[in-house]
Amino acid sequence: MSGAVKRAMLASLRWTSLRLRLVVVFAVVALTAAVSASGIAYWLNREAVLTRTQDSALGDFRQQMQNRAASLPLRPSQNELQATVDQMTQGKAGFTVLLVGEREEGKPIIATSDPDDFTFDDVPERLQDAVNDRQDVRVTNSTPYHLYWQRIQLRGKPYLVGGTRIVGGGPTGYVLKSLDQEREDLNTLAWSLGIATALALVGSALLAQAASTTVLKPVRRLGDAARRLGEGKLDTRLRVSGTDELAELARTFNKTAASLEKKVADMSAREESSRRFVADMSHELRTPLTALTAVTEVLEDEIDNLDPMIAPAVNLVVSETRRLGDLVENLMEVTRFDAGTARLVLDYVDVADQVTACIDARAWLDAVELDAERGIMARLDPRRLDVILANLIGNALKHGGSPVRVSVRPVADELLIEVRDHGPGIPEDVLPHVFDRFYKASASRPRSEGSGLGLSIAVENAHIHGGTITASNSPDGDGAVFLLRLPLDDPAAPKEEPGESTQPENAFAADADAATDLDGPDGPDRPSDTESPGRGEEGQR
């Protein structure tokens, strides 16, 4: 038996299963009803059997006492007493009689039809006291002595013992009747009732199984439909039949699914419209920005020849134009991530070389300490890795404190790149928002050098690699720590040729715009303009 089959069986038998609860409830109800009915039937039959046997035996004994024992003299002899006992039990199977008389005052004589089966010592004392108790004769009590009986266990067998005495003087008689046959009959009845109870229990379980199948089938369909709806298949609908509560539930589900599908379609349309607007706006801004950039470059070249009163304004125009260009490029990249068209161009690279190149290109060698062994090979997109590193390191330099330390180490099947600064750290209330777009910790300083998109773009580039970035404060309270986790390929897995494009599972097919390079952090000529938002005025510290 496969593991999946075993798990399915265990799941169907778990205590939270509605099917099992229905079976248990049906079984308990059936068992209670069957046991109650069987108990009542057994008790009624037992009383009927014992009463019939008892009345028959005691009636015969009373008749014999009146016919035989009443004719004895007040002081019978032993022989007369024995002869009377034999006459009373003649032809009475299982019927034993014992007579007690007196030949003189205080000198009793006893005669029994079977000394081995019934002796005077076998008569219970309570029965003897009741038989010999003389009662007052009244309107409601016509005789001083009555016939009494008692059921006893004698030598492990059930018996009926009764006794009475002759009114007006004479012997006292006791009768012993075996109830063994009645016990066997009642045991047979008990077994029959037990079998009937077991059959009722099995029948109730089968009935519960059938009922649960009828009830759970539409419930299971509803569960499957809800699961498909949760997986994004918003066109899922249930077939409705009948007018019961389950049918009404199915109709409600269909109405809910239709409403949800419409709302999601409307939201998707609005989101697509907004995304296209941002993309179109970014594309439209690139043309005038190109012209503005060319003009600002000319102005920057001629700034030494300009009037000193105009030079600060020219510097501001140049700086803001560059910032606007970075913002437009970042917006375009964010749009590609949102549309799912961003793609990877993977290659096998030495991670230490990539980190060194990123630091060197931005003239950060004096401010950054690198702890990375050469020879750590990983299959990554070099351009996107450069964007991640530039934003994390630039963010640490701008908002943290020197020196910034970058550590690279492989752990199991992951590549860990840690960027740590020695600044004041990140406030606890800001930590959950450091990767949010345009997040600013201080509303009083909404303007900053960065666009507020750097860390969010770094996170998206990590996600497209199948990795993550986390932010935290150093345990010793000296600075912030950003940890980049990227998966390392299994050496045994099939490898693609270097430079071949690949698309992650969570992205759609790339279009032509996806190949547009993201203008990452600027080169060594402008290290201060590197897009490294996330803290400071962007709200991270």
Side-chain angles (χ1 to χ4, degrees):
M1 185 180 293
S2 65
V5 175
K6 289 181 179 179
R7 287 192 297 271
M9 293 178 63
L10 291 175
S12 63
L13 292 177
R14 65 183 185 273
W15 281 108
T16 56
S17 169
L18 181 58
R19 183 187 301 274
L20 181 58
R21 282 184 283 174
L22 283 174
V23 171
V24 170
V25 170
F26 270 74
V28 170
V29 171
L31 183 62
T32 303
V35 168
S36 300
S38 298
I40 293 173
Y42 178 80
W43 181 79
L44 292 176
N45 280 274
R46 178 178 180 274
E47 291 300 315
V49 170
L50 293 178
T51 300
R52 183 176 62 250
T53 302
Q54 169 185 302
D55 291 346
S56 176
L58 294 178
D60 289 345
F61 174 66
R62 183 194 298 273
Q63 190 65 35
Q64 292 294 328
M65 287 292 292
Q66 291 177 353
N67 296 338
R68 304 291 183 179
S71 61
L72 287 172
L74 294 177
R75 304 293 184 183
S77 64
Q78 179 70 43
N79 292 334
E80 290 175 334
L81 205 60
Q82 185 64 47
T84 302
V85 167
D86 294 337
Q87 292 175 0
M88 292 175 65
T89 57
Q90 186 175 5
K92 303 293 183 181
F95 190 101
T96 307
V97 174
L98 182 146
L99 294 179
V100 179
E102 291 183 347
R103 63 172 179 266
E104 292 182 9
E105 184 70 28
K107 295 182 178 180
I109 56 175
I110 299 173
T112 177
S113 59
D114 189 352
D116 296 329
D117 188 42
F118 189 32
T119 64
F120 189 68
D121 293 335
D122 297 329
V123 180
E125 292 185 0
R126 290 183 59 191
L127 181 61
Q128 295 180 33
D129 295 338
V131 168
N132 294 318
D133 183 22
R134 182 181 178 88
Q135 300 182 15
D136 297 333
V137 178
R138 300 174 183 174
V139 176
T140 57
N141 182 35
S142 59
T143 59
Y145 298 104
H146 295 272
L147 175 61
Y148 296 93
W149 57 270
Q150 186 176 348
R151 295 170 191 158
I152 64 171
Q153 289 285 333
L154 193 60
R155 293 176 288 276
K157 294 183 178 182
Y159 286 92
L160 172 68
V161 58
T164 187
R165 63 182 301 167
I166 302 299
V167 178
T172 301
Y174 296 96
V175 62
L176 184 70
K177 169 64 178 175
S178 175
L179 300 177
D180 195 48
Q181 182 62 44
E182 285 72 17
R183 181 175 67 175
E184 292 180 1
D185 294 342
L186 292 174
N187 287 341
T188 302
L189 176 62
W191 275 105
S192 300
L193 293 175
I195 294 173
T197 300
L199 292 176
L201 185 61
V202 173
S204 67
L206 296 177
L207 181 62
Q209 180 71 13
S212 63
T213 301
T214 303
V215 173
L216 292 180
K217 194 172 183 179
V219 174
R220 189 180 301 109
R221 290 176 180 171
L222 179 61
D224 293 339
R227 190 178 303 108
R228 292 195 299 272
L229 194 66
E231 293 172 353
K233 300 176 182 178
L234 301 181
D235 58 344
T236 301
R237 298 294 184 274
L238 288 173
R239 180 170 55 85
V240 180
S241 60
T243 58
D244 57 7
E245 290 81 358
L246 292 175
E248 185 62 29
L249 180 61
R251 292 189 186 91
T252 303
F253 175 86
N254 289 341
K255 292 179 182 178
T256 303
S259 176
L260 180 61
E261 183 180 19
K262 183 178 182 302
K263 289 183 179 179
V264 171
D266 294 342
M267 292 176 62
S268 298
R270 287 195 295 268
E271 183 180 0
E272 179 62 25
S273 177
S274 300
R275 189 162 49 237
R276 186 171 297 279
F277 170 77
V278 173
D280 294 343
M281 179 188 67
S282 300
H283 278 288
E284 293 298 326
L285 286 175
R286 295 188 74 179
T287 300
L289 273 175
T290 302
L292 286 174
T293 301
V295 173
T296 55
E297 288 177 352
V298 173
L299 290 175
E300 189 176 22
D301 292 339
E302 298 295 330
I303 195 169
D304 293 336
N305 301 324
L306 296 177
D307 188 329
M309 297 295 292
I310 301 176
V314 172
N315 285 329
L316 179 61
V317 170
V318 171
S319 174
E320 291 302 313
T321 302
R322 289 173 177 169
R323 180 171 176 269
L324 182 59
D326 292 340
L327 176 60
V328 170
E329 294 297 335
N330 287 338
L331 286 175
M332 292 182 65
E333 184 70 1
V334 168
T335 303
R336 284 192 284 271
F337 282 122
D338 290 345
T341 57
R343 66 178 183 177
L344 294 174
V345 181
L346 299 178
D347 197 359
Y348 282 98
V349 298
D350 188 312
V351 179
D353 290 344
Q354 290 294 312
V355 178
T356 301
C358 175
I359 297 173
D360 183 54
R362 294 160 179 83
W364 289 340
L365 291 176
D366 295 337
V368 178
E369 298 178 357
L370 178 60
D371 178 14
E373 296 182 2
R374 297 189 179 277
I376 302 175
M377 304 299 295
R379 191 163 178 268
L380 304 166
D381 185 328
R383 182 182 66 83
R384 294 189 182 277
L385 178 61
D386 182 79
V387 172
I388 298 173
L389 294 173
N391 278 287
L392 293 182
I393 298 173
N395 184 77
L397 289 172
K398 182 182 296 185
H399 304 292
S402 297
V404 173
R405 182 178 180 84
V406 180
S407 303
V408 180
R409 62 185 185 277
V411 176
D413 57 349
E414 286 186 324
L415 174 66
L416 304 184
I417 301 178
E418 182 181 274
V419 178
R420 174 176 177 176
D421 61 49
H422 290 78
I426 306 174
E428 293 298 328
D429 59 332
V430 176
L431 267 176
H433 306 287
V434 292
F435 299 109
D436 293 351
R437 297 174 184 176
F438 302 109
Y439 178 76
K440 301 180 187 299
S442 176
S444 62
R445 295 189 299 170
R447 189 180 183 283
S448 62
E449 295 180 3
S451 65
L453 294 174
L455 287 181
S456 66
I457 291 176
V459 168
E460 295 292 348
N461 279 296
H463 289 169
I464 203 174
H465 279 89
T468 60
I469 301 179
T470 57
S472 62
N473 288 313
S474 175
D476 55 11
D478 184 18
V481 178
F482 285 81
L483 182 61
L484 169 65
R485 294 177 179 267
L486 296 175
L488 286 176
D489 286 344
D490 185 354
K495 297 179 175 58
E496 300 178 10
E497 293 298 327
E500 182 175 352
S501 298
T502 183
Q503 183 69 23
E505 295 181 356
N506 62 344
F508 300 96
D511 57 15
D513 289 339
T516 303
D517 287 341
L518 166 66
D519 291 342
D522 300 307
D525 293 337
R526 291 188 294 136
S528 62
D529 289 339
T530 299
E531 177 56 17
S532 54
R535 290 177 284 173
E537 293 181 349
E538 273 67 38
Q540 276 67 15
R541 285 190 189 171

mmCIF file of all heavy atoms in Angstrom, residues 101-128:
data_model
loop_
_atom_site.group_PDB
_atom_site.id
_atom_site.type_symbol
_atom_site.label_atom_id
_atom_site.label_comp_id
_atom_site.label_asym_id
_atom_site.label_seq_id
_atom_site.Cartn_x
_atom_site.Cartn_y
_atom_site.Cartn_z
ATOM 1 N N GLY A 101 -42.470 -30.801 61.672
ATOM 2 C CA GLY A 101 -43.524 -30.988 62.671
ATOM 3 C C GLY A 101 -42.946 -31.126 64.070
ATOM 4 O O GLY A 101 -41.730 -30.988 64.265
ATOM 5 N N GLU A 102 -43.826 -31.401 65.050
ATOM 6 C CA GLU A 102 -43.403 -31.588 66.445
ATOM 7 C C GLU A 102 -44.071 -32.844 66.997
ATOM 8 O O GLU A 102 -45.300 -32.959 66.937
ATOM 9 C CB GLU A 102 -43.786 -30.372 67.301
ATOM 10 C CG GLU A 102 -43.014 -29.113 66.986
ATOM 11 C CD GLU A 102 -43.415 -27.981 67.929
ATOM 12 O OE1 GLU A 102 -44.437 -28.123 68.616
ATOM 13 O OE2 GLU A 102 -42.696 -26.957 67.977
ATOM 14 N N ARG A 103 -43.264 -33.808 67.480
ATOM 15 C CA ARG A 103 -43.876 -34.955 68.132
ATOM 16 C C ARG A 103 -44.163 -34.637 69.599
ATOM 17 O O ARG A 103 -45.018 -35.235 70.215
ATOM 18 C CB ARG A 103 -42.969 -36.186 68.014
ATOM 19 C CG ARG A 103 -41.633 -36.071 68.683
ATOM 20 C CD ARG A 103 -40.913 -37.426 68.652
ATOM 21 N NE ARG A 103 -39.614 -37.344 69.269
ATOM 22 C CZ ARG A 103 -38.488 -37.129 68.646
ATOM 23 N NH1 ARG A 103 -38.493 -36.955 67.323
ATOM 24 N NH2 ARG A 103 -37.353 -37.051 69.292
ATOM 25 N N GLU A 104 -43.415 -33.661 70.149
ATOM 26 C CA GLU A 104 -43.668 -33.138 71.490
ATOM 27 C C GLU A 104 -43.282 -31.655 71.488
ATOM 28 O O GLU A 104 -42.591 -31.178 70.596
ATOM 29 C CB GLU A 104 -42.840 -33.891 72.561
ATOM 30 C CG GLU A 104 -43.274 -35.338 72.759
ATOM 31 C CD GLU A 104 -42.478 -36.032 73.844
ATOM 32 O OE1 GLU A 104 -41.718 -35.305 74.538
ATOM 33 O OE2 GLU A 104 -42.604 -37.248 73.964
ATOM 34 N N GLU A 105 -43.696 -30.974 72.523
ATOM 35 C CA GLU A 105 -43.407 -29.553 72.611
ATOM 36 C C GLU A 105 -41.901 -29.314 72.624
ATOM 37 O O GLU A 105 -41.186 -29.872 73.453
ATOM 38 C CB GLU A 105 -44.023 -28.964 73.895
ATOM 39 C CG GLU A 105 -43.865 -27.453 74.024
ATOM 40 C CD GLU A 105 -44.728 -26.727 73.024
ATOM 41 O OE1 GLU A 105 -45.788 -27.267 72.607
ATOM 42 O OE2 GLU A 105 -44.344 -25.599 72.621
ATOM 43 N N GLY A 106 -41.426 -28.561 71.628
ATOM 44 C CA GLY A 106 -39.997 -28.230 71.572
ATOM 45 C C GLY A 106 -39.143 -29.303 70.970
ATOM 46 O O GLY A 106 -37.922 -29.198 70.997
ATOM 47 N N LYS A 107 -39.788 -30.384 70.425
ATOM 48 C CA LYS A 107 -38.999 -31.460 69.813
ATOM 49 C C LYS A 107 -39.444 -31.619 68.362
ATOM 50 O O LYS A 107 -40.370 -32.378 68.060
ATOM 51 C CB LYS A 107 -39.193 -32.776 70.574
ATOM 52 C CG LYS A 107 -38.648 -32.730 71.996
ATOM 53 C CD LYS A 107 -38.826 -34.049 72.681
ATOM 54 C CE LYS A 107 -38.248 -34.044 74.094
ATOM 55 N NZ LYS A 107 -38.416 -35.349 74.787
ATOM 56 N N PRO A 108 -38.826 -30.867 67.457
ATOM 57 C CA PRO A 108 -39.247 -30.906 66.051
ATOM 58 C C PRO A 108 -38.768 -32.181 65.363
ATOM 59 O O PRO A 108 -37.757 -32.783 65.732
ATOM 60 C CB PRO A 108 -38.579 -29.680 65.464
ATOM 61 C CG PRO A 108 -37.367 -29.466 66.305
ATOM 62 C CD PRO A 108 -37.734 -29.912 67.682
ATOM 63 N N ILE A 109 -39.535 -32.571 64.350
ATOM 64 C CA ILE A 109 -39.136 -33.651 63.464
ATOM 65 C C ILE A 109 -39.213 -33.117 62.031
ATOM 66 O O ILE A 109 -40.057 -32.286 61.699
ATOM 67 C CB ILE A 109 -40.031 -34.886 63.630
ATOM 68 C CG1 ILE A 109 -41.508 -34.505 63.420
ATOM 69 C CG2 ILE A 109 -39.827 -35.528 64.994
ATOM 70 C CD1 ILE A 109 -42.436 -35.704 63.452
ATOM 71 N N ILE A 110 -38.309 -33.578 61.190
ATOM 72 C CA ILE A 110 -38.191 -33.064 59.823
ATOM 73 C C ILE A 110 -38.226 -34.217 58.851
ATOM 74 O O ILE A 110 -37.576 -35.249 59.053
ATOM 75 C CB ILE A 110 -36.889 -32.272 59.644
ATOM 76 C CG1 ILE A 110 -36.850 -31.068 60.600
ATOM 77 C CG2 ILE A 110 -36.732 -31.799 58.210
ATOM 78 C CD1 ILE A 110 -35.532 -30.330 60.600
ATOM 79 N N ALA A 111 -38.976 -34.043 57.788
ATOM 80 C CA ALA A 111 -39.029 -35.022 56.709
ATOM 81 C C ALA A 111 -38.840 -34.296 55.381
ATOM 82 O O ALA A 111 -39.440 -33.234 55.154
ATOM 83 C CB ALA A 111 -40.353 -35.769 56.709
ATOM 84 N N THR A 112 -38.018 -34.842 54.504
ATOM 85 C CA THR A 112 -37.741 -34.223 53.201
ATOM 86 C C THR A 112 -37.800 -35.280 52.112
ATOM 87 O O THR A 112 -37.464 -36.443 52.345
ATOM 88 C CB THR A 112 -36.364 -33.545 53.193
ATOM 89 O OG1 THR A 112 -36.110 -33.033 51.890
ATOM 90 C CG2 THR A 112 -35.254 -34.496 53.570
ATOM 91 N N SER A 113 -38.228 -34.872 50.960
ATOM 92 C CA SER A 113 -38.343 -35.827 49.851
ATOM 93 C C SER A 113 -36.987 -36.147 49.235
ATOM 94 O O SER A 113 -36.844 -37.165 48.551
ATOM 95 C CB SER A 113 -39.263 -35.254 48.775
ATOM 96 O OG SER A 113 -38.737 -34.018 48.302
ATOM 97 N N ASP A 114 -35.990 -35.319 49.431
ATOM 98 C CA ASP A 114 -34.639 -35.591 48.900
ATOM 99 C C ASP A 114 -33.630 -34.981 49.853
ATOM 100 O O ASP A 114 -33.284 -33.810 49.739
ATOM 101 C CB ASP A 114 -34.491 -34.990 47.502
ATOM 102 C CG ASP A 114 -33.202 -35.424 46.839
ATOM 103 O OD1 ASP A 114 -32.350 -36.053 47.492
ATOM 104 O OD2 ASP A 114 -33.022 -35.102 45.631
ATOM 105 N N PRO A 115 -33.132 -35.779 50.834
ATOM 106 C CA PRO A 115 -32.195 -35.236 51.828
ATOM 107 C C PRO A 115 -30.908 -34.694 51.212
ATOM 108 O O PRO A 115 -30.272 -33.808 51.781
ATOM 109 C CB PRO A 115 -31.920 -36.426 52.746
ATOM 110 C CG PRO A 115 -33.049 -37.369 52.527
ATOM 111 C CD PRO A 115 -33.467 -37.202 51.099
ATOM 112 N N ASP A 116 -30.535 -35.283 50.050
ATOM 113 C CA ASP A 116 -29.294 -34.816 49.420
ATOM 114 C C ASP A 116 -29.466 -33.467 48.700
ATOM 115 O O ASP A 116 -28.487 -32.766 48.436
ATOM 116 C CB ASP A 116 -28.794 -35.845 48.407
ATOM 117 C CG ASP A 116 -28.423 -37.164 49.086
ATOM 118 O OD1 ASP A 116 -27.988 -37.104 50.254
ATOM 119 O OD2 ASP A 116 -28.561 -38.225 48.446
ATOM 120 N N ASP A 117 -30.694 -33.134 48.388
ATOM 121 C CA ASP A 117 -30.951 -31.928 47.592
ATOM 122 C C ASP A 117 -31.491 -30.775 48.433
ATOM 123 O O ASP A 117 -31.211 -29.625 48.153
ATOM 124 C CB ASP A 117 -31.934 -32.267 46.471
ATOM 125 C CG ASP A 117 -32.100 -31.122 45.485
ATOM 126 O OD1 ASP A 117 -31.069 -30.504 45.125
ATOM 127 O OD2 ASP A 117 -33.231 -30.833 45.083
ATOM 128 N N PHE A 118 -32.258 -31.111 49.475
ATOM 129 C CA PHE A 118 -32.943 -30.061 50.226
ATOM 130 C C PHE A 118 -33.008 -30.453 51.688
ATOM 131 O O PHE A 118 -33.596 -31.481 52.033
ATOM 132 C CB PHE A 118 -34.344 -29.852 49.649
ATOM 133 C CG PHE A 118 -35.063 -28.652 50.211
ATOM 134 C CD1 PHE A 118 -34.382 -27.503 50.612
ATOM 135 C CD2 PHE A 118 -36.452 -28.660 50.347
ATOM 136 C CE1 PHE A 118 -35.060 -26.407 51.117
ATOM 137 C CE2 PHE A 118 -37.136 -27.560 50.841
ATOM 138 C CZ PHE A 118 -36.432 -26.427 51.221
ATOM 139 N N THR A 119 -32.367 -29.630 52.537
ATOM 140 C CA THR A 119 -32.407 -29.842 53.986
ATOM 141 C C THR A 119 -32.901 -28.557 54.637
ATOM 142 O O THR A 119 -33.014 -27.507 53.987
ATOM 143 C CB THR A 119 -31.018 -30.198 54.538
ATOM 144 O OG1 THR A 119 -30.133 -29.077 54.332
ATOM 145 C CG2 THR A 119 -30.447 -31.427 53.837
ATOM 146 N N PHE A 120 -33.198 -28.679 55.914
ATOM 147 C CA PHE A 120 -33.727 -27.522 56.647
ATOM 148 C C PHE A 120 -32.707 -26.387 56.695
ATOM 149 O O PHE A 120 -33.065 -25.207 56.763
ATOM 150 C CB PHE A 120 -34.129 -27.932 58.060
ATOM 151 C CG PHE A 120 -34.870 -26.859 58.793
ATOM 152 C CD1 PHE A 120 -36.152 -26.472 58.395
ATOM 153 C CD2 PHE A 120 -34.299 -26.213 59.884
ATOM 154 C CE1 PHE A 120 -36.828 -25.466 59.069
ATOM 155 C CE2 PHE A 120 -34.975 -25.214 60.559
ATOM 156 C CZ PHE A 120 -36.257 -24.845 60.149
ATOM 157 N N ASP A 121 -31.407 -26.728 56.651
ATOM 158 C CA ASP A 121 -30.371 -25.690 56.679
ATOM 159 C C ASP A 121 -30.356 -24.852 55.401
ATOM 160 O O ASP A 121 -29.773 -23.752 55.385
ATOM 161 C CB ASP A 121 -28.990 -26.336 56.876
ATOM 162 C CG ASP A 121 -28.848 -26.977 58.251
ATOM 163 O OD1 ASP A 121 -29.572 -26.532 59.170
ATOM 164 O OD2 ASP A 121 -28.033 -27.902 58.390
ATOM 165 N N ASP A 122 -30.970 -25.395 54.321
ATOM 166 C CA ASP A 122 -30.995 -24.649 53.056
ATOM 167 C C ASP A 122 -32.071 -23.572 53.041
ATOM 168 O O ASP A 122 -32.092 -22.733 52.137
ATOM 169 C CB ASP A 122 -31.238 -25.607 51.877
ATOM 170 C CG ASP A 122 -30.101 -26.611 51.725
ATOM 171 O OD1 ASP A 122 -28.953 -26.251 52.066
ATOM 172 O OD2 ASP A 122 -30.345 -27.746 51.261
ATOM 173 N N VAL A 123 -32.954 -23.607 53.999
ATOM 174 C CA VAL A 123 -34.026 -22.617 54.047
ATOM 175 C C VAL A 123 -33.476 -21.331 54.664
ATOM 176 O O VAL A 123 -32.942 -21.336 55.770
ATOM 177 C CB VAL A 123 -35.216 -23.123 54.878
ATOM 178 C CG1 VAL A 123 -36.316 -22.067 54.917
ATOM 179 C CG2 VAL A 123 -35.733 -24.424 54.299
ATOM 180 N N PRO A 124 -33.587 -20.205 53.958
ATOM 181 C CA PRO A 124 -33.077 -18.937 54.511
ATOM 182 C C PRO A 124 -33.791 -18.572 55.792
ATOM 183 O O PRO A 124 -34.993 -18.800 55.956
ATOM 184 C CB PRO A 124 -33.374 -17.925 53.398
ATOM 185 C CG PRO A 124 -33.517 -18.732 52.148
ATOM 186 C CD PRO A 124 -34.097 -20.046 52.581
ATOM 187 N N GLU A 125 -33.055 -17.988 56.728
ATOM 188 C CA GLU A 125 -33.622 -17.623 58.014
ATOM 189 C C GLU A 125 -34.718 -16.563 57.864
ATOM 190 O O GLU A 125 -35.714 -16.581 58.586
ATOM 191 C CB GLU A 125 -32.520 -17.097 58.936
ATOM 192 C CG GLU A 125 -31.506 -18.166 59.353
ATOM 193 C CD GLU A 125 -30.506 -17.617 60.365
ATOM 194 O OE1 GLU A 125 -30.636 -16.413 60.715
ATOM 195 O OE2 GLU A 125 -29.600 -18.363 60.773
ATOM 196 N N ARG A 126 -34.546 -15.658 56.933
ATOM 197 C CA ARG A 126 -35.568 -14.628 56.731
ATOM 198 C C ARG A 126 -36.881 -15.263 56.294
ATOM 199 O O ARG A 126 -37.969 -14.829 56.703
ATOM 200 C CB ARG A 126 -35.102 -13.622 55.676
ATOM 201 C CG ARG A 126 -33.965 -12.731 56.137
ATOM 202 C CD ARG A 126 -33.618 -11.712 55.062
ATOM 203 N NE ARG A 126 -34.781 -10.886 54.736
ATOM 204 C CZ ARG A 126 -34.829 -10.063 53.701
ATOM 205 N NH1 ARG A 126 -33.784 -9.977 52.880
ATOM 206 N NH2 ARG A 126 -35.914 -9.335 53.478
ATOM 207 N N LEU A 127 -36.782 -16.309 55.445
ATOM 208 C CA LEU A 127 -37.995 -16.982 55.005
ATOM 209 C C LEU A 127 -38.639 -17.726 56.181
ATOM 210 O O LEU A 127 -39.878 -17.728 56.336
ATOM 211 C CB LEU A 127 -37.669 -17.945 53.868
ATOM 212 C CG LEU A 127 -38.848 -18.702 53.276
ATOM 213 C CD1 LEU A 127 -39.874 -17.751 52.675
ATOM 214 C CD2 LEU A 127 -38.388 -19.714 52.231
ATOM 215 N N GLN A 128 -37.829 -18.376 57.023
ATOM 216 C CA GLN A 128 -38.362 -19.077 58.194
ATOM 217 C C GLN A 128 -39.093 -18.102 59.122
ATOM 218 O O GLN A 128 -40.203 -18.399 59.602
ATOM 219 C CB GLN A 128 -37.224 -19.765 58.959
ATOM 220 C CG GLN A 128 -36.523 -20.872 58.191
ATOM 221 C CD GLN A 128 -35.403 -21.497 59.008
ATOM 222 O OE1 GLN A 128 -35.493 -21.580 60.244
ATOM 223 N NE2 GLN A 128 -34.358 -21.931 58.323
#
